[in-house]
Amino acid sequence: MLKMNDVSKVYQTEMVQTHALRDFNLTVDEGEFIAVTGPSGSGKTTFLNIAGMLEPYTGGQYTLDGIDIGSLSDNQRADLRNQKIGFIFQGFNLIPDLNLYENVEVPLRYRGIKSAERKRRINECLEQVGLASRAKHLPQQLSGGQQQRVAIARALAGEPRFLLADEPTGNLDSLMARQVMELLEEINRNGATIVMVTHDAELARRAPRNIQIVDGQLADFTLYQGAPEPAR
Ligand code: ADP
Ligand code: ADP
């Protein structure tokens, strides 16, 4: 579904040129769950942002479901992103004075989805992350793990086929991190393709495919066959 051919990204500031990605090649198939690891500054976030069409690349070719992303207008790219992609970030990015229901609703309103359909999706997604009974609570009344589950519900409400997660467990203790990982595994079993950047080697090993980015390139790639190791 995703294919990057010799994709590069150069950040040019007045004095410095940074090659965040160099001739980066990767194919992600429908239904995969990939964990991305690598040293700080190696290009992981850049890769994820390009994959999510949040920022342009400076060389090579990126196709998503056969569509050449570089040939799209800004509006076409935004439409494609809304149709296909959901994002989860380390910092949850919930709006503090909106309750959980309203937080999940924001991107659906923005996309012009009608009220009855919004309600159906919000209830279904809050149910899936186990927070339906907390719909009227504010984010600050929840633990970090619960807040991340709301952020996941918000991403799921857009019915994305492709979920991009940047350090989704980076602010969570290990128990909550594992719960979030279990939720991502369930979402993947339900059909979504997931690419997750993480510093947590143990979580990464639970994903069926691991890739490593070093100096803006794919460094290593390991395929773990069969079921993930049992949780410890
Ligand atoms: P990682 O996510 O692996 O920590 P990043 O993708 O954030 O790495 O960064 C890759 C490289 O690109 C780093 O050297 C970083 O400093 C640089 N970089 C990232 N964003 C910018 C930017 N907006 N302007 C200039 N350099 C950037
Ligand atoms: P311009 O000012 O020419 O639009 P941009 O930096 O916006 O320059 O885009 C440079 C190239 O990258 C163009 O081919 C554009 O289509 C592509 N591009 C711009 N934004 C994105 C994005 N978010 N994702 C992928 N490609 C992009």
Side-chain angles (χ1 to χ4, degrees):
M1 88 183 291
L2 172 154
K3 200 163 170 56
M4 290 190 181
N5 279 322
D6 289 338
V7 165
S8 58
K9 173 73 182 188
V10 180
Y11 288 108
Q12 178 75 58
T13 57
E14 246 173 76
M15 304 296 290
V16 210
Q17 213 184 39
T18 306
H19 290 261
L21 291 181
R22 306 165 188 266
D23 297 337
F24 187 87
N25 292 292
L26 180 70
T27 301
V28 178
D29 291 327
E30 180 100 47
E32 283 204 276
F33 189 155
I34 300 182
V36 183
T37 55
S40 183
S42 61
K44 302 181 297 295
T45 294
T46 300
F47 156 67
L48 214 61
N49 288 344
I50 290 174
M53 298 177 268
L54 293 176
E55 58 175 277
Y57 44 100
T58 48
Q61 193 183 42
Y62 169 30
T63 57
L64 186 63
D65 290 334
I67 300 166
D68 179 2
I69 301 308
S71 70
L72 301 180
S73 69
D74 289 349
N75 283 337
Q76 288 172 322
R77 250 191 326 268
D79 286 347
L80 191 66
R81 187 187 311 122
N82 284 339
Q83 266 170 38
K84 295 191 190 262
I85 297 180
F87 294 95
I88 305 167
F89 303 98
Q90 177 171 3
F92 322 139
N93 300 359
L94 299 176
I95 300 171
D97 49 3
L98 296 184
N99 68 33
L100 307 194
Y101 185 97
E102 293 160 341
N103 264 285
V104 176
E105 188 170 34
V106 170
L108 299 180
R109 277 183 185 275
Y110 172 75
R111 289 174 202 194
I113 292 167
K114 298 231 159 55
S115 136
E117 172 68 6
R118 291 202 303 265
K119 189 171 174 188
R120 182 190 72 75
R121 289 200 199 180
I122 296 164
N123 287 328
E124 189 182 298
C125 292
L126 284 175
E127 189 75 46
Q128 189 181 353
V129 303
L131 290 170
S133 65
R134 313 290 292 269
K136 296 230 164 70
H137 289 222
L138 293 172
Q140 74 212 30
Q141 296 174 291
L142 304 182
S143 70
Q146 289 171 328
Q147 290 187 45
Q148 187 59 296
R149 277 151 52 198
V150 177
I152 293 173
R154 181 181 55 192
L156 290 180
E159 303 185 337
R161 285 179 37 243
F162 194 21
L163 206 55
L164 300 172
D166 197 353
E167 295 280 0
T169 64
N171 284 339
L172 305 180
D173 69 31
S174 61
L175 175 65
M176 287 181 185
R178 202 143 66 212
Q179 287 168 350
V180 164
M181 184 68 182
E182 279 161 13
L183 181 57
L184 293 177
E185 286 166 349
E186 181 190 320
I187 291 163
N188 176 244
R189 281 195 298 276
N190 290 340
T193 304
I194 301 183
V195 176
M196 172 184 76
V197 167
T198 183
H199 272 114
D200 184 332
E202 199 162 315
L203 277 195
R205 280 194 294 128
R206 289 179 60 140
R209 181 177 170 195
N210 281 32
I211 62 174
Q212 222 187 334
I213 300 180
V214 175
D215 283 340
Q217 290 191 312
L218 216 54
D220 195 7
F221 141 67
T222 321
L223 186 63
Y224 291 94
Q225 303 280 355
E229 293 188 356
R232 269 160 284 194

